[in-house]
Amino acid sequence: MKTTADSKKTEKTAKCADNGMVTPANVFFTNQVAQTIDETVEKIAPSGVFVVVDVNTASFVLPRLQSESKAVAGAKVIMTKAGDMFKNLDTVASIWKQLGDGGCTRRSVVINVGGGVVTDMGAFAAATFKRGVTYINVPTTLLGAVDASVGGKTGVNFNSLKNEVGLFSEAELVIVSTTFFRTLTSQELLSGYAEMLKHGFISSKEMTDRLLAYDVTNYDPDRLLELIRESVAVKSKFVACDRTDLGVRRALNFGHTVAHAFEALALERKSPLSHGYAVAFGMVAALVLSHMKFDFPSDELHRYAAYVSEHYGAFDITCDDYKRLIGFMHHDKKNSTATEISCTLLRDYGDVALNIPVSDTDMTAALDIYRDLLHIG
């Protein structure tokens, strides 16, 4: 499956100083969520407190926080619809309006309580309202804990493209806890776990082996929190080296070029695909390309594809979808030029190659092999 030589003028290797398992000062691991919120809000001494939730969080999480947290109990609640299809500028405009109507000032604080959609969108709304309102992220899903709430990225979907509009803005605090995960379905846990698997691939084979051997659907809060710490530490290392996503941080894009295209196609089908599931599928295609370009071990590719097939199933595509998918990939914001697809690939575990140009022909071949590996068609 190996193809012609890569263009060396754009290829880079993702290398960061290894300072051990260090997490940012604004990421706090605790199951004492309400207490941590109150202590943080007391230090901020805001003019007002606003809580952004979606309809699901409003039902399953908000009542508990309101009963345990003085700050949340006294906050103005802004509720949005649930799901990636509502992660758009219309919803953000509604949040802005409710902030304004509620008397939000630059001295207020916004607490985003929910999964990745809420933390991405709520953070974007806070960071842009009155040129920036302090915000706290409280992820209630595994995906939100290891991905969307850490790293300072905010954004919304636009023009059928994932996170097309956004900015970099750090939360005052990200409270990472497993306390809300007991209510998550197996599918929701697996969605977040895909991002953790990605961190394994870009870190080491040993970390990946540990993750592939662990059953995330068998809820074990202490062991899971330990794995989350390790996962967040990997992401934080790349973020610290490249806060504005122009260099080595692009290692975190492994699997995402294809994943975002899958998500965009699913949105067009009016059947949204979970980001984590899209990443799980996208990494299959990325490993195929890694084998084609850099001879990434075939047995490891097949091992991961078998894991995905067993735990995630497959995102169903046909060859008729390729043109649309590749069109989405050409609009990916991380492309080096408007005419080529740039991918993050692996030479081996922990050996990440950045800005690798992939032709439409090679991407078509990778999608063919993706379908074969996941038994589609």
Side-chain angles (χ1 to χ4, degrees), residues 13 27 45 57 92 95 113 130 143 156 196 198 211 214 220 226 228 245 253 268 285 292 302 369:
T13 299
V27 180
T57 321
V92 171
I95 296 172
V113 181
K130 295 187 183 295
L143 179 60
V156 293
M196 294 173 67
K198 179 200 72 178
L211 291 169
Y214 176 72
D220 178 350
E226 181 184 335
I228 292 171
D245 203 19
N253 195 48
E268 280 196 344
M292 293 166 64
H302 282 83
I369 297 166

Side-chain angles (χ1 to χ4, degrees), residues 331-349:
H331 282 89
D332 192 286
K333 54 187 172 294
K334 292 183 177 64
N335 286 337
S336 301
T337 72
T339 58
E340 68 178 21
I341 301 170
S342 293
C343 287
T344 295
L345 302 178
L346 297 180
R347 298 182 183 88
D348 204 343
Y349 287 100

Side-chain angles (χ1 to χ4, degrees), residues 107-292:
R107 291 189 59 251
S108 298
V109 64
V110 175
I111 306 173
N112 302 305
V113 181
V117 171
V118 171
T119 55
D120 265 7
M121 186 166 55
F124 176 73
T128 51
F129 190 74
K130 295 187 183 295
R131 296 198 177 99
V133 176
T134 298
Y135 68 92
I136 297 168
N137 280 341
V138 184
T140 59
T141 65
L142 182 55
L143 179 60
V146 299
D147 182 37
S149 66
V150 179
K153 283 185 178 181
T154 75
V156 293
N157 305 332
F158 179 72
N159 197 28
S160 297
L161 297 171
K162 283 286 296 180
N163 299 324
E164 183 76 349
V165 179
L167 74 160
F168 292 94
S169 173
E170 288 287 349
E172 178 72 17
L173 187 69
V174 180
I175 303 173
V176 177
S177 168
T178 58
T179 191
F180 303 117
F181 295 173
R182 191 180 298 277
T183 63
L184 299 180
T185 65
S186 295
Q187 289 73 26
E188 288 168 325
L189 288 167
L190 284 165
S191 181
Y193 207 59
E195 285 286 350
M196 294 173 67
L197 287 166
K198 179 200 72 178
H199 294 153
F201 276 115
I202 66 176
S203 179
S204 68
K205 184 176 185 300
E206 290 74 21
M207 180 177 173
T208 308
D209 288 345
R210 284 195 297 276
L211 291 169
L212 290 175
Y214 176 72
D215 180 7
V216 70
T217 63
N218 183 18
Y219 182 67
D220 178 350
D222 293 334
R223 176 58 177 149
L224 183 55
L225 191 60
E226 181 184 335
L227 292 173
I228 292 171
R229 282 180 184 270
E230 182 180 27
S231 188
V232 169
V234 171
K235 179 171 184 177
S236 299
K237 179 177 73 170
F238 286 101
V239 171
C241 291
D242 178 23
R243 294 196 177 278
T244 56
D245 203 19
L246 296 175
V248 296
R249 181 172 176 164
R250 294 192 176 191
L252 298 168
N253 195 48
F254 178 65
H256 280 55
T257 299
V258 175
H260 286 162
F262 284 171
E263 288 180 90
L265 182 63
L267 282 173
E268 280 196 344
R269 292 174 174 176
K270 306 297 183 185
S271 181
L273 176 66
S274 159
H275 175 68
Y277 272 64
V279 170
F281 302 140
M283 287 192 293
V284 174
L287 288 178
V288 170
L289 289 165
S290 297
H291 179 72
M292 293 166 64

Side-chain angles (χ1 to χ4, degrees), residues 77 82 291 354:
V77 176
H291 179 72
L354 306 176

Side-chain angles (χ1 to χ4, degrees), residues 345-363:
L345 302 178
L346 297 180
R347 298 182 183 88
D348 204 343
Y349 287 100
D351 188 357
V352 187
L354 306 176
N355 304 327
I356 304 303
V358 174
S359 68
D360 291 2
T361 300
D362 281 352
M363 186 59 76

Side-chain angles (χ1 to χ4, degrees), residues 92-108:
V92 171
S94 175
I95 296 172
W96 285 331
K97 185 177 188 307
Q98 291 178 74
L99 289 173
D101 291 347
C104 181
T105 73
R106 292 188 70 182
R107 291 189 59 251
S108 298

